[in-house]
Each structure stands twice: as structure tokens, then as C-alpha cells.
Amino acid sequence: MAYEGILLGMGNPLLDISAVVDEEFLKKYDIKSNNAILAEDKHLPMYDELASKENVEYIAGGATQNSIKVAQWMLQIPGATSYIGCIGKDKFGEEMKKNSTAAGVNVKYYEDESAPTGTCAVCVVGGERSLVANLSAANCYKSEHLKRPEIWSIVEKAKYYYIAGFFLTVSPESIQMVAEHAAAKNKVFMMNLSAPFICEFFREPQEKALPYMDYVFGNETEARTFAKVHGWETDNVEEIALKISQWPKASGTHKRITVITQGADPVVVAEDGKVKLFPVILLPKEKLVDTNGAGDAFVGGFLSQLVQEKPVEDCVRAGCYAANVVIQRSGCTYPPKPEFN
């Protein structure tokens, strides 16, 4: 079983509470369309308000978990993927476990006694999503869990690692442990810029992990924020992708490849001092349900081919396919079988 446990994700497991809202709602809670932030006190009443909407849906989410589930779906090989994160001992946590296990992912949650399972408010306006995460238990992940022999053996078994930037706010120590293991064993370590606030306010742990990253994923807004934070006087996404790919590396085994998505515009891939553009599958506006999970699905599709050692063109094609499927559905969900060849 060559693929068993080949891909490991580590991140914040969150239950998405998703509903269609209006501009008024965004204004009321001071949130911007197409952004992702952490909840403050002013946002807390919003969760109950969303939950009371008749179109509300509860979907197991969290950026890394979404990507791992999509990779698992694309691979159709049971147990090819594993996932680590922290949930609460509650109904939402049980739901999450059921959902991810049913998706074929080998989940190893750390269960926190004191905090409820994290939730993410997904506010959908005109198909665009705005995310507000209330991490709760997800914020309680401890590297002690990772050090347990039965958990670390999953790290040792994997050959590819993917962690969304959001986990930098929770356990940078766990990230470094996995990053250093990957570098020492010539495995592939990958992260996502994930959100402008990560690039702005978690610059230090992000920069500490960056030398270990063999692949850096992100979208155009995140890439431009990263450039601004680092004083690069350009908002040209191709240039920024190139500069990120040329950032010094901890290990010389793999060159760094930067992959930046731009919504309906072409995907930017920078490697070896060159940039390639790959068109995405365009979708008529009336078929768009919501963009929640689109970037996560892109990464999941990409990873499903990468672990099979396919060329980067195929990885991008699979990423575009998966994202196209997910934006035609509510949340990061997909049909029983992929139709990707």
C-alpha cells in the first residue's frame, strides 16, 4: 500500500456555520467580503444570528482539513491522507470526526476538555464568502500531542506535509517540528499564506517556517500583502511569486515552487527563476454557489497529483478542477466521485 498515510495535514478543525446574508449584515459586524479574520468580542453575537437563518448549513471545515479531504476525494485511495488538529469533547466535535472519517481521512484529533469545538462563520454575499473564525478548541493544540509515539509515527510515515498559515497562530512549535523532520528526511513541506492578517501580524513565525517550505500556496491578495509587509515595492503577482520562490531555503533537496491563485484569472506558478501562467476553468456567474473552500479545494486537487509525482501542470489542472467543483456547491463539499482524468 504505497500511498497509505502519504499526505499529512495539520491545522484548525472548524465547523463552518454557513448562510447567505446581505451587505447590511457585513456592515453590522464590520466584516469585509472575501476576507478571513479571527473573531473578536463584537463578532460573537453573529454566530447565533447566522444559526437562526433558515438557509443555515453546518459543514465540517477548517482550511487544512478541507484541502486534505479534497485530496483524499481526488485520490480515492482509503487512508492515503491523515490530519491532526484539536477539537472539543462535544456534539460538534463528534460530527467533525464522523464527517472526516466518512471522507476517508485518518483523523487524529487532540480532544480538549475545556473548550468547545471551533466554529467559522461563513457569510455569503453574491457568491463571495467572508470568514470569521472562533477558534476555541482549535486554539488549544499542543505539541505534546504531536510528540506522542502513536501520533509522531504518522508524521514519520508521511512523505508530504501541508499546513495552512492559520496554524501559525496556534502552534508554531508543532510546525517547526514537522518542518525540521521534512528537511532532515528530504520530504516535501508545504504551507499556505492563508490570509492577509497572517502575513501582517504573524510575520515572525511565518518567516521562521518559510525556509522549510518547498511549496508556498496563496491567493493574489495574500501575495500582495506579503510583499507590502516585506517592503517589496511591487504589487505584480508574478514578480511577488518569483521573489517568494527565491527566499533562502533550509535544505537544498527541493527547489521552492510558489503557486498563487487569482480567482478567475490564471494561476501563477514560479520556479527556477521563471513564471508560468495556467488558465482556470471559467464558470458562468449563475452557476456560482459560493467561493467558500475554493482555495482549499485548489490545494487539495494539486496535492492529489503531487503525491503521485505528477508534473506541476497536472497538479494545477487537478487544482482547478477541484476548485471548479466546490464553487458550484455550498461550502467545501463535492460529489461522491471525481471526474478528473
Side-chain angles (χ1 to χ4, degrees), residues 172-235:
E173 191 194 342
S174 300
I175 295 174
Q176 282 306 119
M177 282 170 65
V178 172
E180 286 167 16
H181 168 80
K185 303 283 186 199
N186 298 330
K187 296 173 175 183
V188 180
F189 181 78
M190 304 169 275
M191 285 192 75
N192 202 308
L193 300 176
S194 288
F197 85 88
I198 298 288
C199 304
E200 288 173 300
F201 306 117
F202 293 87
R203 174 178 176 169
E204 202 184 319
Q206 189 181 54
E207 282 182 7
K208 206 175 156 200
L210 193 56
Y212 294 94
M213 297 181 206
D214 299 308
Y215 284 80
V216 176
F217 295 94
N219 68 23
E220 74 280 39
T221 317
E222 295 149 9
R224 288 185 175 120
T225 305
F226 185 91
K228 197 170 87 192
V229 164
H230 290 88
W232 299 346
E233 292 185 357
T234 176
D235 62 359

XYZ file of all heavy atoms in Angstrom, residues 172-235:
519
model
N 3.139 27.282 16.480
C 4.333 27.371 15.623
C 5.370 26.306 15.974
O 6.105 25.838 15.114
C 4.881 28.778 15.887
C 3.977 29.434 16.855
C 2.845 28.528 17.184
N 5.367 25.876 17.239
C 6.319 24.847 17.671
C 6.071 23.518 16.940
O 7.005 22.858 16.486
C 6.185 24.648 19.196
C 7.311 23.810 19.789
C 7.012 23.334 21.204
O 6.113 23.905 21.868
O 7.675 22.385 21.648
N 4.788 23.153 16.805
C 4.437 21.921 16.077
C 4.844 22.031 14.615
O 5.332 21.066 14.012
C 2.924 21.660 16.167
O 2.529 21.509 17.512
N 4.640 23.224 14.038
C 5.005 23.451 12.637
C 6.509 23.245 12.453
O 6.951 22.555 11.535
C 4.577 24.860 12.167
C 3.047 24.974 12.174
C 5.150 25.181 10.779
C 2.497 26.360 11.864
N 7.310 23.830 13.354
C 8.773 23.699 13.249
C 9.215 22.244 13.367
O 10.109 21.803 12.650
C 9.483 24.539 14.337
C 9.556 26.026 14.051
C 10.179 26.410 12.701
O 9.523 27.028 11.868
N 11.416 26.038 12.478
N 8.570 21.496 14.267
C 8.927 20.077 14.437
C 8.743 19.308 13.123
O 9.617 18.556 12.701
C 8.059 19.438 15.528
C 8.499 19.777 16.945
S 7.252 19.234 18.165
C 7.318 17.438 17.935
N 7.600 19.535 12.483
C 7.311 18.829 11.231
C 8.222 19.340 10.107
O 8.750 18.551 9.316
C 5.815 18.973 10.852
C 5.542 18.406 9.466
C 4.938 18.272 11.894
N 8.436 20.662 10.076
C 9.281 21.264 9.037
C 10.706 20.722 9.118
O 11.301 20.358 8.096
C 9.281 22.783 9.193
N 11.232 20.645 10.335
C 12.606 20.173 10.503
C 12.728 18.689 10.168
O 13.723 18.252 9.588
C 13.097 20.476 11.928
C 13.398 21.971 12.104
C 13.587 22.398 13.557
O 13.792 21.504 14.421
O 13.530 23.623 13.821
N 11.694 17.927 10.527
C 11.682 16.499 10.168
C 11.696 16.343 8.637
O 12.463 15.536 8.097
C 10.437 15.815 10.752
C 10.195 14.438 10.206
N 10.869 13.318 10.655
C 9.374 14.002 9.211
C 10.461 12.255 9.965
N 9.556 12.646 9.099
N 10.850 17.129 7.960
C 10.765 17.049 6.491
C 12.115 17.383 5.856
O 12.573 16.682 4.941
C 9.683 17.996 5.976
N 12.769 18.429 6.362
C 14.066 18.838 5.802
C 15.121 17.755 6.037
O 15.892 17.411 5.130
C 14.513 20.163 6.407
N 15.126 17.189 7.242
C 16.129 16.171 7.583
C 15.950 14.898 6.760
O 16.926 14.219 6.428
C 16.055 15.844 9.074
N 14.701 14.580 6.413
C 14.426 13.324 5.694
C 14.141 13.542 4.202
O 13.625 12.641 3.528
C 13.218 12.614 6.332
C 13.383 12.310 7.807
C 14.273 11.114 8.043
C 14.292 10.745 9.517
N 15.427 9.926 9.891
N 14.429 14.745 3.711
C 14.203 15.067 2.290
C 12.761 14.866 1.834
O 12.496 14.435 0.712
C 15.136 14.253 1.387
C 16.583 14.584 1.669
O 16.895 15.700 2.066
N 17.462 13.619 1.495
N 11.816 15.162 2.725
C 10.402 15.064 2.373
C 9.902 16.441 1.931
O 10.656 17.408 1.963
C 9.617 14.539 3.573
C 10.016 13.108 3.961
C 9.329 12.698 5.251
C 9.592 11.249 5.597
N 8.840 10.861 6.831
N 8.630 16.523 1.552
C 8.103 17.766 0.976
C 7.208 18.484 1.986
O 6.187 17.943 2.432
C 7.325 17.472 -0.333
C 6.766 18.761 -0.935
C 8.238 16.768 -1.342
N 7.604 19.716 2.335
C 6.884 20.508 3.333
C 6.236 21.716 2.649
O 6.896 22.447 1.908
C 7.860 20.975 4.417
C 7.208 21.790 5.503
C 6.473 21.176 6.506
C 7.329 23.178 5.528
C 5.863 21.931 7.518
C 6.724 23.932 6.529
C 5.994 23.299 7.526
N 4.936 21.917 2.911
C 4.186 22.954 2.185
C 3.294 23.750 3.124
O 2.706 23.196 4.045
C 3.304 22.292 1.118
C 4.092 21.421 0.167
S 3.046 20.401 -0.898
C 2.737 18.992 0.139
N 3.202 25.047 2.850
C 2.292 25.886 3.623
C 1.527 26.841 2.725
O 1.810 26.952 1.537
C 3.055 26.667 4.709
C 3.470 25.786 5.895
S 4.057 26.719 7.328
C 2.499 27.357 7.985
N 0.560 27.525 3.324
C -0.264 28.486 2.602
C -0.143 29.831 3.307
O -0.053 29.883 4.528
C -1.721 28.000 2.639
C -2.560 28.588 1.526
O -2.589 29.803 1.332
N -3.258 27.746 0.792
N -0.141 30.915 2.544
C -0.124 32.254 3.161
C -1.421 32.469 3.948
O -1.441 33.145 4.972
C 0.042 33.339 2.098
C 1.334 33.272 1.255
C 1.319 34.361 0.170
C 2.587 33.390 2.121
N -2.516 31.901 3.409
C -3.827 31.783 4.083
C -4.664 33.037 4.263
O -5.866 32.995 4.065
C -3.688 31.088 5.436
O -3.434 29.720 5.224
N -4.085 34.159 4.694
C -4.896 35.375 4.888
C -3.970 36.563 5.075
O -2.868 36.415 5.601
C -5.810 35.236 6.099
N -4.437 37.760 4.660
C -3.600 38.951 4.859
C -3.158 39.126 6.314
O -2.002 39.457 6.583
C -4.518 40.097 4.413
C -5.409 39.475 3.374
C -5.652 38.081 3.877
N -4.052 38.836 7.291
C -3.666 39.085 8.688
C -2.521 38.184 9.152
O -1.736 38.554 10.021
C -4.888 38.985 9.628
C -5.247 37.605 10.114
C -4.661 37.078 11.263
C -6.201 36.836 9.448
C -5.004 35.801 11.718
C -6.554 35.572 9.902
C -5.945 35.050 11.044
N -2.407 37.000 8.549
C -1.287 36.107 8.907
C 0.031 36.752 8.460
O 1.000 36.812 9.213
C -1.452 34.711 8.255
C -2.722 34.005 8.756
C -0.205 33.851 8.493
C -2.684 33.499 10.185
N 0.045 37.252 7.225
C 1.255 37.893 6.689
C 1.612 39.151 7.482
O 2.794 39.460 7.662
C 1.060 38.256 5.219
S 0.595 36.839 4.186
N 0.588 39.851 7.972
C 0.832 41.109 8.694
C 1.211 40.895 10.150
O 2.183 41.457 10.632
C -0.441 41.989 8.645
C -0.697 42.592 7.275
C -2.039 43.310 7.216
O -3.086 42.666 7.445
O -2.040 44.516 6.940
N 0.441 40.081 10.853
C 0.589 40.017 12.309
C 1.294 38.768 12.820
O 1.612 38.674 13.995
C -0.777 40.173 12.989
C -1.508 41.413 12.541
C -2.723 41.325 11.875
C -0.951 42.673 12.743
C -3.384 42.475 11.436
C -1.601 43.828 12.312
C -2.816 43.729 11.656
N 1.528 37.806 11.934
C 2.256 36.604 12.343
C 3.487 36.433 11.460
O 3.881 35.332 11.108
C 1.329 35.375 12.314
C 0.251 35.476 13.371
C -0.939 36.144 13.105
C 0.451 34.966 14.638
C -1.923 36.290 14.085
C -0.524 35.107 15.626
C -1.704 35.764 15.354
N 4.074 37.587 11.147
C 5.227 37.634 10.258
C 6.400 36.815 10.802
O 7.062 36.093 10.058
C 5.640 39.104 10.080
C 6.918 39.271 9.294
C 7.273 40.727 9.099
N 8.547 40.849 8.428
C 9.030 41.979 7.939
N 8.320 43.084 8.041
N 10.196 42.013 7.345
N 6.632 36.917 12.125
C 7.804 36.260 12.704
C 7.750 34.723 12.584
O 8.662 34.128 12.012
C 7.966 36.695 14.167
C 9.391 36.517 14.668
C 9.506 36.870 16.146
O 8.882 37.867 16.586
O 10.197 36.129 16.853
N 6.663 34.070 13.078
C 6.614 32.611 12.884
C 6.534 32.207 11.418
O 7.060 31.161 11.027
C 5.355 32.184 13.649
C 4.564 33.421 13.870
C 5.528 34.566 13.885
N 5.898 33.050 10.586
C 5.818 32.741 9.152
C 7.208 32.752 8.523
O 7.560 31.854 7.754
C 4.902 33.755 8.444
C 4.589 33.381 6.998
C 3.696 34.414 6.311
O 4.004 35.603 6.277
N 2.580 33.964 5.768
N 8.020 33.754 8.885
C 9.380 33.844 8.339
C 10.271 32.719 8.851
O 11.192 32.289 8.168
C 10.005 35.197 8.690
C 9.498 36.323 7.813
C 10.159 37.662 8.117
O 11.115 37.696 8.918
O 9.715 38.666 7.543
N 9.973 32.261 10.058
C 10.763 31.170 10.627
C 10.484 29.852 9.886
O 11.366 29.013 9.711
C 10.425 31.030 12.115
C 11.546 30.414 12.911
C 11.245 30.381 14.414
C 12.075 29.272 15.040
N 11.567 28.828 16.327
N 9.241 29.688 9.446
C 8.854 28.456 8.742
C 9.199 28.511 7.248
O 9.407 27.473 6.613
C 7.354 28.209 8.916
N 9.263 29.715 6.704
C 9.431 29.885 5.251
C 10.640 29.157 4.648
O 10.509 28.524 3.593
C 9.450 31.382 4.896
C 9.304 31.741 3.421
C 8.037 31.159 2.809
C 9.301 33.253 3.232
N 11.818 29.183 5.286
C 12.959 28.473 4.683
C 12.704 26.977 4.470
O 13.328 26.346 3.624
C 14.085 28.688 5.699
C 13.705 29.926 6.434
C 12.208 29.914 6.506
N 11.771 26.411 5.245
C 11.480 24.979 5.140
C 10.435 24.669 4.060
O 10.224 23.515 3.717
C 10.975 24.450 6.489
C 12.038 24.495 7.562
C 12.137 25.591 8.425
C 12.959 23.458 7.704
C 13.113 25.645 9.403
C 13.945 23.502 8.682
C 14.022 24.593 9.518
O 14.998 24.645 10.479
N 9.752 25.702 3.589
C 8.646 25.458 2.653
C 9.156 25.127 1.254
O 9.860 25.915 0.642
C 7.723 26.686 2.579
C 7.037 27.022 3.888
S 5.959 28.472 3.689
C 5.938 29.100 5.373
N 8.742 23.949 0.769
C 9.083 23.552 -0.602
C 8.031 24.064 -1.582
O 8.328 24.299 -2.744
C 9.183 22.023 -0.683
C 10.269 21.494 0.248
O 11.407 22.004 0.168
O 9.978 20.601 1.065
N 6.806 24.209 -1.098
C 5.734 24.831 -1.885
C 5.082 25.889 -1.014
O 4.820 25.638 0.169
C 4.650 23.816 -2.296
C 5.057 22.903 -3.419
C 5.870 21.799 -3.164
C 4.639 23.124 -4.733
C 6.255 20.948 -4.192
C 5.022 22.281 -5.763
C 5.837 21.192 -5.488
O 6.218 20.359 -6.506
N 4.813 27.043 -1.607
C 4.050 28.089 -0.926
C 2.810 28.365 -1.764
O 2.924 28.688 -2.946
C 4.875 29.391 -0.769
C 4.017 30.493 -0.144
C 6.117 29.153 0.089
N 1.651 28.205 -1.163
C 0.388 28.497 -1.837
C -0.174 29.816 -1.298
O 0.164 30.238 -0.199
C -0.641 27.388 -1.565
C -0.270 26.056 -2.145
C 0.406 25.110 -1.381
C -0.595 25.737 -3.455
C 0.749 23.866 -1.905
C -0.256 24.498 -3.997
C 0.419 23.555 -3.221
N -1.056 30.435 -2.075
C -1.726 31.644 -1.609
C -2.588 32.205 -2.718
O -2.602 31.687 -3.835
N -3.318 33.286 -2.403
C -4.048 33.983 -3.462
C -3.425 35.357 -3.693
O -2.484 35.740 -2.982
C -5.556 34.051 -3.173
C -5.902 34.944 -1.986
O -5.150 35.849 -1.609
N -7.060 34.710 -1.400
N -3.946 36.085 -4.665
C -3.303 37.345 -5.073
C -3.300 38.396 -3.960
O -2.330 39.134 -3.791
C -3.934 37.884 -6.373
C -5.324 38.503 -6.271
C -6.494 37.529 -6.215
O -6.393 36.467 -5.551
O -7.536 37.837 -6.817
N -4.382 38.454 -3.158
C -4.454 39.440 -2.071
C -3.405 39.146 -1.008
O -2.726 40.047 -0.504
C -5.855 39.411 -1.417
O -6.835 39.324 -2.458
C -6.109 40.640 -0.579
N -3.286 37.864 -0.655
C -2.294 37.456 0.343
C -0.877 37.725 -0.157
O -0.025 38.213 0.599
C -2.470 35.963 0.667
C -3.799 35.656 1.333
C -4.368 34.277 1.032
O -3.655 33.436 0.428
O -5.537 34.042 1.395
N -0.632 37.418 -1.436
C 0.699 37.639 -2.010
C 1.061 39.125 -1.966
O 2.182 39.487 -1.587
C 0.740 37.123 -3.454
N 0.099 39.974 -2.309
C 0.368 41.428 -2.299
C 0.598 41.936 -0.874
O 1.437 42.808 -0.649
C -0.790 42.191 -2.966
C -0.811 41.990 -4.478
C -1.868 42.835 -5.175
N -1.752 42.670 -6.612
C -2.740 42.196 -7.393
N -3.914 41.871 -6.864
N -2.557 42.072 -8.695
N -0.142 41.369 0.084
C 0.066 41.761 1.488
C 1.456 41.326 1.944
O 2.170 42.089 2.602
C -1.013 41.126 2.400
O -2.297 41.482 1.888
C -0.889 41.615 3.830
N 1.845 40.118 1.579
C 3.176 39.606 1.934
C 4.259 40.543 1.393
O 5.206 40.903 2.088
C 3.364 38.191 1.369
C 4.649 37.528 1.787
C 4.698 36.735 2.927
C 5.816 37.702 1.057
C 5.890 36.127 3.325
C 7.011 37.106 1.448
C 7.046 36.318 2.590
N 4.078 40.970 0.136
C 5.057 41.868 -0.499
C 5.122 43.205 0.234
O 6.210 43.742 0.479
C 4.684 42.083 -1.965
N 3.972 43.732 0.597
C 3.910 45.031 1.276
C 4.610 44.960 2.641
O 5.415 45.816 2.994
C 2.443 45.456 1.441
C 2.276 46.945 1.749
C 0.824 47.373 1.655
C 0.143 47.120 3.002
N -1.314 47.237 2.939
N 4.312 43.895 3.388
C 4.903 43.696 4.714
C 6.436 43.631 4.621
O 7.148 44.101 5.503
C 4.337 42.396 5.354
C 5.171 41.937 6.534
C 2.883 42.609 5.787
N 6.938 43.063 3.521
C 8.383 42.900 3.363
C 9.047 44.042 2.590
O 10.216 43.949 2.227
C 8.695 41.541 2.741
C 8.409 40.411 3.682
N 7.160 39.818 3.763
C 9.166 39.824 4.650
C 7.191 38.897 4.714
N 8.385 38.886 5.265
N 8.246 45.096 2.344
C 8.807 46.286 1.713
C 9.191 46.089 0.252
O 10.023 46.823 -0.280
N 8.620 45.090 -0.417
C 8.868 44.909 -1.854
C 7.946 45.884 -2.575
O 6.733 45.800 -2.448
C 8.525 43.481 -2.301
C 9.333 42.427 -1.620
C 10.465 42.591 -0.882
C 9.049 41.019 -1.597
N 10.903 41.382 -0.404
C 10.061 40.399 -0.828
C 8.042 40.213 -2.156
C 10.097 39.023 -0.596
C 8.085 38.852 -1.936
C 9.106 38.261 -1.165
N 8.526 46.780 -3.334
C 7.664 47.821 -3.908
C 7.043 47.391 -5.224
O 7.334 47.927 -6.286
C 8.443 49.134 -3.994
C 8.715 49.636 -2.583
C 9.375 50.988 -2.510
O 9.705 51.556 -3.572
O 9.570 51.467 -1.380
N 6.217 46.350 -5.135
C 5.525 45.880 -6.330
C 4.214 45.221 -5.907
O 4.151 44.627 -4.833
C 6.373 44.848 -7.105
O 5.606 44.349 -8.214
C 6.779 43.657 -6.237
N 3.192 45.372 -6.742
C 2.004 44.552 -6.478
C 1.746 43.629 -7.673
O 0.658 43.098 -7.844
C 0.780 45.394 -6.081
C 0.336 46.350 -7.172
O 0.987 46.374 -8.236
O -0.668 47.063 -6.961
